Amino acid sequence: MRVIDAQDTGTIDKHVRATAEELAAVAADIDRGRVDPDGNYQLLRDSGLLRLLVPWESGGEGLSFLAYTKALETLATGDCATALGFNMHNVAIGSLCETAKSPLPEAAERFRTWVFKEVVENGRMFASATSETGAGAKLGHLQATYRAHGDAYVLNGTKSFVSLAGIADYYVVAAREEGSSEAREVSHFVVSRLDDGVAFSDPWDSAALRGTQTARMSLKDVRIPRARLFLGVEGLSLFKLMREPHWMVSGYMGAYLGIAESILRLVVRLLKGNEHRRASPVVQAQVGRLAVELKAARAMVYSAARLVDEEKGSLEANTAVHAAKYCIGELAPRLALDAVRICGSGSLRTSEPLERLLREAVFCSVMPAKPDECLEYVGKATLGFNMFDARNFNW
């Protein structure tokens, strides 16, 4: 197993770049269905990258949200699909990692210790299982349920678009209390892929991002011990999301930047083989615009991530991540279309990655939070609405 030196930023950056290069070598084959994505995730396990967010004191690397965003960007330049799958592991454990310096009640402390041990010592991979058909990822509209039963909880429901289906070891499942009239009271539970009653469909036949291994997850009378209630507290999920929405809203941002960067790099490479177009002032101006727009989006994303590190949970940080998600989510697909216009139809040959990047970029604007949801949040915050009031938080 290759091991990265904890808290050695230079070593981590070098290691992430090397991993991205290995991912790039098989990205096209996975996209075309010639190779299963399992090998990429085994690479992430073996590399030690699963512990990037786990606190230093618990054996991880303790990366900040900004450092993680940059690492995810680098991985996505190798393969966006694997980077997005990797992000789901970190979405599942990220908020827990951020509690490192906070004392917790005894049950929550035991839960946190268990999760960190599973990741660091046992190489376990986590994933998020929130979205449902018709509800998306909005916690206030979920239909999956749980009920207490003796020393356990029993879960029932169906989750759609679960990444790392059958690959991750654990899934953080969102569910509301069975029979509760208050649908907004949602809790999260850690479900093992080996638990009785857990099943996955065949992978989603998507136009792109095959490497995320996304499928439907069904839970039928899944019984889990009470110790696997997230942080040991029921009804905490919506409150925590409302206070600190950055993982759900903008954990993807680095991956979107990676797509956009890959598109710009490809434009530059393709134009190097066409000196006539490369010498055109019109083309130069078009490429200049792409570069400026990407630099602006990157500055916005990095600024928002830095605010999360410095003022996590503040209105300024929460508004910034919504604004940044909107910006990069809209930019990536536009860059892909512009790249086709600049480089011509020849750039869409299947031997070139642009047609794959074009398909992948489309998904940037449909993953949560969607563009209209981001703008709604920013608009409400700008107009002075209390965004810590659940009635104003549309989740």
Side-chain angles (χ1 to χ4, degrees), residues 197-312:
V198 174
F200 297 98
S201 70
D202 291 334
W204 179 41
D205 186 18
S206 172
L209 302 177
R210 183 188 298 269
T212 60
Q213 189 74 4
T214 298
R216 185 174 63 254
M217 178 185 189
S218 62
L219 304 108
K220 183 174 177 58
D221 294 328
V222 177
R223 183 185 178 94
I224 64 170
R226 284 183 175 262
R228 286 205 241 138
L229 168 64
F230 206 89
L231 283 177
V233 180
E234 292 185 44
L236 180 65
S237 300
L238 185 63
F239 173 81
K240 187 163 181 60
L241 174 61
M242 182 172 60
R243 291 283 167 177
E244 301 170 1
H246 51 281
W247 282 110
M248 181 67 78
V249 171
S250 58
Y252 301 99
M253 292 191 305
Y256 299 157
L257 278 176
I259 290 182
E261 175 64 28
S262 295
I263 292 169
L264 182 58
R265 290 180 187 178
L266 184 61
V267 168
V268 172
R269 179 172 68 78
L270 291 173
L271 287 176
K272 282 184 177 179
N274 190 332
E275 284 302 320
H276 175 70
R277 288 189 61 77
R278 188 167 176 266
S280 166
V282 173
V283 171
Q284 291 167 358
Q286 290 174 330
V287 174
R289 177 174 56 80
L290 299 190
V292 168
E293 289 182 340
L294 178 54
K295 286 180 181 294
R298 179 177 285 112
M300 194 170 190
V301 168
Y302 286 3
S303 176
R306 188 175 294 108
L307 266 177
V308 170
D309 290 329
E310 296 173 351
E311 304 175 28
K312 180 166 60 74

